[in-house]
Amino acid sequence: MTLHNGKLLALCVVTVIVLFGLQFVLPPYLTLALTRILILSVFAMGYNMLMGYTGLLSLGHAMFFAAGLYAAGLSTYYWGVTLPVAFVLGIVGAFAVSLVIGLLALRTQAVSFMIVTLMFAQAGYLMTLQFTNITGGDQGLTLPTDARSFGLFGMVVDMTSDTARFNLALLIFTVVLAVLFAITQGPLGRLFVAVRENEPRTQMLGFDTYAIKLTAFTVSGTISGTAGALYGLMFGYIGSSFAGFQNSIEALLYTLIGGPGTLLGPLLGTAVMTMLIDRLSGITTAYLIVIGVLLIVVNLWFPKGILGTIRDRWLGWLK
Amino acid sequence: MMDLAPYLLLAGLEGLVMASVLMLTALGLSLVFGVMRVVNVAHGEFYMLGAVGAWACAQFVPGHPALAFCVALVVAPLLVGVLAYLADWAILKRINYDPEGTIVSTIGMLYIIQQLTLMSFGPDARAVDAPFYYTIRTPWFGYSSYKLFTVVMALVLVAGLWVMLKRSKWGLVMRATQFDRETAQNFGIPVNRVYSIVFAIGAMLAAIGGVLVVPNQQAHYLMGGDPLLLSFVVVIVGGLGSIPGTIAAAILIGMSDGLLSVFFSPTAAKIFSTLLVAFVLVFKPEGLFGRSNRV
Amino acid sequence: MTLLRTKGLSRHFDGLKAVDGVDFALDPGEIRAIIGPNGAGKSTFVSLLSGRIKPSAGQVFFEDRDVTGMPAHKRVRMGIAYTFQITNIYGAMTVLENIAIAAQNRLRPHLFSRKPVSEVEIARAATKAAQEVGLGDLLYETAGTLAYGHQRLLEVAMGLALQPKLLILDEPTQGLSDSEIENFQEVVRRVAQSATVLLIEHNMDVVMALADRITVLDNGRVLAEGSPGEIVHNDAVQAAYLGAPA
Ligand SMILES: Nc1ncnc2c1ncn2[C@@H]1O[C@H](COP(=O)(O)OP(=O)(O)O)[C@@H](O)[C@H]1O
Ligand SMILES: [Mg+2]
């Protein structure tokens, strides 16, 4: 493979190294916060694949996050499978759900697409409530102690240890970042952007745009589900709220703030937003109002987000 | 068979009440979509504001509840209309009614309205007195006359709206704008103002729905979710932007929602509704009743 | 063997017969011009060939295969390239990226091809197509900011990068300057050595200079067909199109 966009690659490498180093300087509670940020930014990176690069605005990505969360969490809760197996099952579950939903939702466009993804996700959320005897509903389920650690190459990885969690989250984040770099900076990513910029033209250049969109949709949903599986297994809790509307909106907002269609935007957006929300929820319970205001403000005056603005003004390679 | 009749009658009456409020609310959503080609996700919040407004009127207007009700019926929709007009001017106009941007912005509005209501009105559900309590006797049960009054009110309002759209100059202007924005503009129709007013009227219809419903159902800051979902169902099943389709669908959905909730759980009924919206949009985007009218 | 053939091809828009029962055949290697007054149905006709629009009736055969029901993107894969009358490019991308998307189709026929070509090869093919139309110096310009004439050339370059068997050009010289038209004629002659060209053109000088044969459309029907000489002297064409008294 030839190297292209070496600058972005270098920036990604530096970012990962800095993140790794942070655990040695940050106090424990911030390391924990950073662990959450890493996992949620994997969620947002998945979202960005579809919304940022391919231009398809989904309002239902909580459904894929939850698919990963529940597939992983329930399989370890009820069948006692080990955490790595549960993690893989979570990814497979999210893949299956996103493929099926994609096949259906991609028959629609624009506003219809948004409503269809919203409705499917809402149906998924309601199902987690409907089958409370299995899912634990709103209360959720706490994973048993023997599902909080696993053996790997003779080592025991303990999911209640902050260090283990942080480094595992960073590992998954790095793998996803590498995969997304390969996709977005190569020929496939170019097709995603081509569909976003001008779908009819892309068709007339000989591409099956439905297949391209379905690919983007499935990759996006699967990555979001990977984040969900990781979140559930790492913090040992699965609950309906992860399937709710607000979770979808947060992925949208993180992506919008960081910069849709930029590789590192979701990480930045997630970091900025989770810090902000953490601060605010200390002051007021109505921090949701900030989400509302930001959705409007960003949409009005800052649609490219932080990195998107920097890309358009100064650094063209930041994509 | 004889002993089933009362239940059917009761279920039918309840369904009719539900359908009439739903009809008003859904018509608001449908009108906005029909003329402006945008989807207002904050629509349910305007409904909620109508209900909360009715509660506030009941607190501040002394004397008989009927007086407070009449004040609420005028004041709450007006205030909501002004709010919607301002929101249109401050936000939607500035993003040029970009369909996707409008959805994102109205989601923002949804959170803001909800949270501001939570901060002022509080987290509790609050009841409002009905304007009158006369009970209509049937051989089997007594039925609230206020509920039947709701049905009549809704029918009168819908008829009024219908006449306005089909007969008045205003209706003509709206239909012209809906038909072709550019041409309307060229004919000197102030399209921008038409949009703001239509958005306000849509919100007011939802608010009236909220005022009418609140003697039957308590006001709560999260009460906008269900009418939003059901309005979606109605508007999409009825064919986006088609008013007769919307009315037909409102009656169908309003009547059946109660039954579904009785036979299944309310959650199951909602799962059914959400999936219905999704599948209609995927497989029959012109709606089950509507003409071809793609989003 | 004919490269492309239509049988009774029709397309109606709410009662308006934009294309009305056209039988048409194109030999490999020729440069064919389609002329006709505005609204004659030329753009609609070639859109039917490319699959961008579905016909109301009739059939399209490409290399003796019935492609009537085939989606547009598959026809492009078979070798039918189409350039839009109204420039339709990726405005936010660079010239090179625009052409790279086209080049990528040929070099990487499936999304998950087992032998993916490298970015370098795609870039090389795209650069070559850009140079062929004279855009070699503008590779890194944003397409949307190009002058109109250059955008038209970019359209053509995207068509070329597909290395099609049939290149359909819908009024490619519209809005070009005289020198650009000169250059464009050169490009078409070069393309014609390896591909068949179907050219909708208003500029009769260009038509006369390039076309081997001419088809005249009027009111959705074929009015006449023949060599440039025959068409110029055809009475019906004179009357209907060239405006001269019969
Ligand atoms: N999408 C369409 N809808 C309705 N009428 C159309 C459409 N496209 C073309 N037409 C009509 O079909 C006729 C032929 O158009 P066109 O093929 O563009 O002609 P030409 O390219 O020869 O100028 C015209 O009368 C035009 O108005
Ligand atoms: Mg034309």
Side-chain angles (χ1 to χ4, degrees):
Chain A
M1 198 183 105
T2 48
L3 206 67
H4 37 275
N5 210 346
K7 285 178 185 163
L8 183 59
L9 185 61
L11 183 62
C12 290
V13 171
V14 169
T15 305
V16 169
I17 292 173
V18 169
L19 285 169
F20 181 77
L22 277 176
Q23 63 184 311
F24 303 110
V25 291
L26 290 181
Y29 78 96
L30 277 183
T31 308
L32 181 64
L34 193 55
T35 308
R36 278 190 64 229
I37 289 175
L38 284 175
I39 303 177
L40 291 179
S41 60
V42 170
F43 180 25
M45 281 152 79
Y47 185 79
N48 185 33
M49 175 89 270
L50 191 65
M51 184 269 204
Y53 288 97
T54 319
L56 294 169
L57 212 161
S58 150
L59 290 179
H61 258 48
M63 150 174 61
F64 308 126
F65 187 90
L69 182 98
Y70 277 106
L74 293 179
S75 59
T76 179
Y77 188 88
Y78 288 106
W79 302 332
V81 302
T82 61
L83 293 190
V85 174
F87 184 57
V88 171
L89 286 177
I91 296 174
V92 172
F95 171 81
V97 172
S98 45
L99 182 64
V100 171
I101 300 292
L103 279 168
L104 293 167
L106 289 170
R107 293 169 54 104
T108 63
Q109 289 182 346
V111 169
S112 291
F113 178 80
M114 295 169 81
I115 298 177
V116 166
T117 48
L118 170 66
M119 289 298 162
F120 276 128
Q122 205 59 16
Y125 166 69
L126 291 166
M127 278 184 210
T128 65
L129 296 179
Q130 176 73 13
F131 301 105
T132 297
N133 51 346
I134 300 171
T135 62
D138 263 338
Q139 297 283 308
L141 299 173
T142 306
L143 299 187
T145 1
D146 53 348
R148 301 308 316 277
S149 63
F150 62 98
L152 193 69
F153 308 124
M155 293 183 308
V156 173
V157 183
D158 180 5
M159 282 299 99
T160 54
S161 142
D162 283 347
T163 315
R165 282 201 291 222
F166 176 80
N167 287 295
L168 195 59
L170 181 59
L171 176 69
I172 304 292
F173 170 86
T174 308
V175 170
V176 169
L177 186 66
V179 169
L180 287 186
F181 182 90
I183 292 179
T184 59
Q185 308 304 309
L188 186 54
R190 184 180 298 120
L191 293 185
F192 290 165
V193 176
V195 166
R196 178 188 77 197
E197 293 292 318
N198 192 340
E199 185 175 344
R201 188 51 171 138
T202 310
Q203 235 155 16
M204 292 313 294
L205 289 175
F207 295 102
D208 184 350
T209 51
Y210 183 78
I212 294 173
K213 290 193 286 186
L214 186 60
T215 307
F217 195 98
T218 313
V219 170
S220 166
T222 307
I223 289 174
S224 297
T226 304
L230 194 61
Y231 202 102
L233 298 178
M234 211 168 246
F235 296 109
Y237 169 77
I238 54 178
S240 288
S241 63
F242 293 110
F245 180 58
Q246 196 184 320
N247 205 23
S248 296
I249 293 306
E250 282 173 7
L252 163 67
L253 189 60
Y254 298 163
T255 306
L256 274 177
I257 299 264
T262 62
L263 195 55
L264 290 167
L267 173 66
L268 188 61
T270 310
V272 169
M273 280 308 299
T274 43
M275 307 281 234
L276 187 67
I277 290 175
D278 277 357
R279 283 284 153 75
L280 287 168
S281 48
I283 304 166
T284 163
T285 51
Y287 72 90
L288 280 173
I289 207 168
V290 177
I291 292 190
V293 171
L294 280 176
L295 279 175
I296 292 174
V297 167
V298 168
N299 196 30
L300 263 178
W301 289 302
F302 201 51
K304 301 265 168 80
I306 301 172
L307 292 190
T309 304
I310 295 178
R311 172 195 62 199
D312 289 359
R313 293 264 169 83
W314 301 289
L315 308 175
W317 50 268
L318 206 59
K319 57 188 183 182
Chain B
M1 275 319 281
M2 273 314 285
D3 38 38
L4 200 60
Y7 290 105
L8 281 181
L9 181 62
L10 184 61
L13 282 171
E14 289 288 306
L16 205 59
V17 175
M18 167 97 184
S20 50
V21 174
L22 182 56
M23 186 155 64
L24 282 176
T25 314
L27 272 177
L29 196 66
S30 177
L31 186 70
V32 167
F33 180 82
V35 176
M36 304 165 66
R37 299 274 127 185
V38 297
V39 174
N40 175 15
V41 183
H43 195 65
E45 306 318 307
F46 292 134
Y47 172 95
M48 178 273 284
L49 284 180
V52 168
W55 175 84
C57 286
Q59 302 308 300
F60 296 119
V61 177
H64 194 273
L67 185 62
F69 176 81
C70 291
V71 173
L73 205 48
V74 175
V75 171
L78 269 184
L79 288 179
V80 168
V82 169
L83 178 71
Y85 190 98
L86 289 177
D88 175 84
W89 169 80
I91 302 167
L92 302 188
K93 206 169 286 315
R94 275 163 225 267
I95 54 172
N96 206 15
Y97 302 99
D98 170 64
E100 302 191 356
T102 299
I103 292 188
V104 173
S105 300
T106 52
I107 292 172
M109 281 158 57
L110 173 146
Y111 279 125
I112 294 175
I113 295 174
Q114 239 173 41
Q115 295 301 312
L116 286 178
T117 309
L118 171 64
M119 288 155 90
S120 52
F121 175 81
D124 302 322
R126 295 168 203 250
V128 176
D129 283 336
F132 47 88
Y133 274 107
Y134 180 71
T135 303
I136 296 171
R137 296 257 147 243
T138 70
W140 310 283
F141 54 83
Y143 198 73
S144 154
S145 60
Y146 173 73
K147 286 189 174 177
L148 292 181
F149 168 76
T150 314
V151 177
V152 174
M153 271 298 288
L155 288 178
V156 168
L157 282 167
V158 170
L161 185 72
W162 181 268
V163 169
M164 187 196 81
L165 284 177
K166 293 290 161 187
R167 296 262 186 276
S168 78
K169 181 167 157 269
W170 254 101
L172 183 69
V173 163
M174 277 186 209
R175 275 181 292 137
T177 310
Q178 161 169 19
F179 188 69
D180 185 346
R181 183 182 171 169
E182 309 286 308
T183 313
Q185 194 127 35
N186 292 341
F187 273 95
I189 292 176
V191 167
N192 272 332
R193 195 133 56 83
V194 173
Y195 275 22
S196 299
I197 290 174
V198 166
F199 195 70
I201 293 179
M204 288 166 77
L205 285 169
I208 294 174
V211 174
L212 288 179
V213 89
V214 89
N216 304 331
Q217 185 197 331
Q218 297 183 330
H220 184 253
Y221 81 105
L222 290 176
M223 75 190 292
D226 287 358
L228 176 68
L229 173 60
L230 286 174
S231 298
F232 262 127
V233 179
V234 165
V235 169
I236 283 160
V237 168
L240 279 159
S242 144
I243 299 227
T246 303
I247 293 174
I251 293 169
L252 180 78
I253 306 289
M255 301 290 275
S256 58
D257 188 72
L259 287 176
L260 278 177
S261 303
V262 170
F263 287 115
F264 307 97
S265 71
T267 309
K270 270 196 248 173
I271 293 177
F272 175 79
S273 304
T274 47
L275 289 179
L276 182 65
V277 172
F279 281 107
V280 168
L281 279 177
V282 169
F283 291 108
K284 208 164 180 329
E286 68 278 12
L288 298 179
F289 299 146
R291 304 144 294 168
S292 157
N293 214 344
R294 266 174 179 272
V295 180
Chain C
M1 188 192 92
T2 57
L3 180 71
L4 177 125
R5 195 155 56 80
T6 72
K7 229 172 82 184
L9 197 62
S10 303
R11 170 68 208 219
H12 304 172
F13 294 111
D14 297 326
L16 172 83
K17 294 174 177 171
V19 173
D20 188 16
V22 170
D23 297 323
F24 177 86
L26 197 58
D27 288 331
E30 68 172 311
I31 300 182
R32 173 73 64 94
I34 298 184
I35 63 173
N38 256 328
K42 306 180 294 293
S43 292
T44 307
F45 177 64
V46 294
S47 295
L48 291 170
L49 302 183
S50 71
R52 209 166 68 88
I53 302 181
K54 299 269 158 281
S56 313
Q59 287 159 298
V60 181
F61 300 88
F62 188 69
E63 296 183 316
D64 287 331
R65 209 175 132 192
D66 187 345
V67 298
T68 314
M70 190 183 271
H73 68 90
K74 287 198 180 150
R75 297 193 206 188
V76 178
R77 289 266 163 93
M78 285 186 73
I80 305 179
Y82 172 86
T83 68
F84 289 76
Q85 174 171 10
I86 300 158
T87 348
N88 193 348
I89 52 179
Y90 302 97
M93 299 189 188
T94 65
V95 168
L96 186 64
E97 282 170 327
N98 268 272
I99 310 175
I101 295 166
Q104 191 173 325
N105 173 42
R106 178 170 54 83
L107 295 171
R108 212 172 191 282
H110 301 286
L111 272 183
F112 301 103
S113 163
R114 254 173 293 151
K115 276 197 287 179
V117 294
S118 73
E119 283 287 271
V120 175
E121 278 171 77
I122 293 174
R124 194 184 300 137
T127 308
K128 184 161 161 279
Q131 283 163 349
E132 274 176 43
V133 300
L135 289 178
D137 296 335
L138 301 173
L139 291 179
Y140 300 101
E141 299 293 315
T142 305
T145 64
L146 292 181
Y148 181 75
H150 286 147
Q151 293 192 5
R152 301 287 321 168
L153 289 175
L154 177 55
E155 272 281 346
V156 177
M158 288 160 83
L160 288 185
L162 293 168
Q163 295 196 350
K165 293 175 186 150
L166 170 62
L167 179 62
I168 300 174
L169 300 164
D170 194 348
E171 305 213 8
T173 65
Q174 199 181 42
L176 295 195
S177 70
D178 286 348
S179 65
E180 284 169 333
I181 290 179
E182 276 299 313
N183 172 38
F184 170 79
Q185 293 189 9
E186 275 312 301
V187 173
V188 172
R189 284 206 186 88
R190 227 172 314 129
V191 176
Q193 288 165 9
S194 57
T196 307
V197 176
L198 182 58
L199 173 75
I200 298 181
E201 187 54 66
H202 261 158
N203 185 329
M204 284 312 284
D205 294 338
V206 176
V207 172
M208 289 303 164
L210 287 176
D212 300 319
R213 285 177 76 76
I214 299 176
T215 300
V216 186
L217 278 188
D218 188 27
N219 279 326
R221 300 179 144 273
V222 176
L223 186 69
E225 192 172 296
S227 68
E230 288 163 2
I231 293 299
V232 172
H233 297 110
N234 182 307
D235 290 346
V237 176
Q238 296 259 339
Y241 181 53
L242 300 175

